[in-house]
Amino acid sequence: DARVTQTPRDKVTEMGQEVTMRCQPILGHNTVFWYRQTMMQGLELLAYFRNRAPLDDSGMPKDRFSAEMPDATLATLKIQPSEPRDSAVYFCASARGITYEQYFGPGTRLTVT
Amino acid sequence: ELKVEQNPLFLSMQEGKNYTIYCNYSTTSDRLYWYRQDPGKSLESLFVLLSNGAVKQEGRLMASLDTKARLSTLHITAAVHDLSATYFCAVDIPYTNYGGSQGNLIFGKGTKLSVKP
């Protein structure tokens, strides 16, 4: 049963600290998405990659967020420095291609105090 | 800018009743997705609708797409408590007004469904 995995599942950190979230897409999926979900804003696309190349990161605050795919089995989302307004659930999703349905990971619940 | 609007945003219904959730979007697209999210959980893909007139059914849920009206519906038949969840529609952003895909989705705000005995 192929699934997207994310680590950590929960993260509590203090303002100003660096946070790194990791995602392992489903094997064979070449498109990876990062989303953020909050009660106020709903589900927002932060960035996505195809074949490890970033296609769009316009949804991400550039000064503090960065997203990379060091290899086909790992995507990372980093926040440095973190702020309380970054508290949210961050989802990673993968798809076989751009027009295919996206499969979501379990999410990382981030709390910045 | 593509906008996706769902209504209602909250829906409380009794078991055994039927209801429809609507998803309107503001620009041409022929790909629409429905997802389900249980509280504290991830999003689960329900339906993928890829063309005008597409209709898909799974159990008590049926989804349809009218690209001319820019409308998708999710119909619930004889609701049961297990269907309580938040339902999202998501629309694929086209490269142009005439099709193609940029490969990312714009999600509606979700419809929180509560089915009561």
Side-chain angles (χ1 to χ4, degrees):
Chain A
D1 186 20
R3 297 185 186 190
V4 176
T5 59
Q6 289 185 248
T7 57
R9 295 292 303 276
D10 280 282
K11 176 73 176 179
V12 180
T13 191
E14 291 183 346
M15 183 173 61
Q17 297 298 306
E18 177 179 301
V19 175
T20 299
M21 291 169 268
R22 293 176 175 81
C23 166
Q24 182 172 9
I26 292 172
L27 189 64
H29 283 194
N30 68 350
T31 310
V32 175
F33 304 81
W34 281 105
Y35 291 91
R36 174 171 64 184
Q37 187 177 37
T38 60
M39 289 294 293
M40 292 300 294
Q41 299 298 326
L43 203 59
E44 304 172 279
L45 177 69
L46 297 175
Y48 71 106
F49 296 78
R50 182 185 181 196
N51 295 325
R52 296 176 54 201
L55 286 190
D56 188 351
D57 61 0
S58 59
M60 232 165 40
K62 298 288 192 307
D63 56 339
R64 298 184 300 108
F65 283 59
S66 61
E68 296 178 345
M69 277 202 76
D71 61 61
T73 63
L74 176 65
T76 62
L77 180 66
K78 187 176 295 185
I79 307 174
Q80 167 63 23
S82 57
E83 297 180 2
R85 59 180 167 152
D86 301 328
S87 297
V89 179
Y90 291 81
F91 288 105
C92 172
S94 72
R96 278 197 290 139
I98 281 181
T99 59
Y100 290 87
E101 66 189 296
Q102 298 177 21
Y103 293 83
F104 281 72
T108 294
R109 181 176 298 276
L110 174 65
T111 304
V112 183
T113 61
Chain B
E1 181 190 351
L2 175 60
K3 292 184 180 179
V4 180
E5 294 185 351
Q6 287 183 237
N7 71 84
L9 297 182
F10 298 93
L11 177 55
S12 179
M13 53 191 300
Q14 285 189 310
E15 281 191 330
K17 298 292 187 182
N18 303 335
Y19 209 85
T20 300
I21 298 170
Y22 297 88
C23 175
N24 290 89
Y25 53 97
S26 61
T27 194
T28 302
S29 177
D30 57 4
R31 294 183 180 88
L32 190 137
Y33 305 78
W34 283 95
Y35 287 86
R36 168 181 172 148
Q37 186 177 34
D38 291 296
K41 303 292 186 182
S42 185
L43 281 79
E44 173 191 355
S45 178
L46 291 175
F47 299 109
V48 179
L49 303 170
L50 298 178
S51 61
N52 186 41
V55 177
K56 292 201 174 176
Q57 183 163 5
E58 180 74 32
R60 300 173 188 275
L61 299 178
M62 184 174 71
S64 65
L65 178 62
D66 181 343
T67 58
K68 291 183 173 57
R70 299 178 186 173
L71 170 69
S72 179
T73 61
L74 181 65
H75 187 72
I76 303 155
T77 302
V80 293
H81 179 69
D82 284 353
L83 290 180
S84 298
T86 299
Y87 293 85
F88 292 92
C89 65
V91 178
D92 190 289
I93 297 179
Y95 276 118
T96 69
N97 286 337
Y98 302 100
S101 172
Q102 291 190 30
N104 61 12
L105 302 179
I106 299 296
F107 283 78
K109 292 191 179 299
T111 297
K112 186 172 182 179
L113 171 66
S114 176
V115 181
K116 302 185 184 304

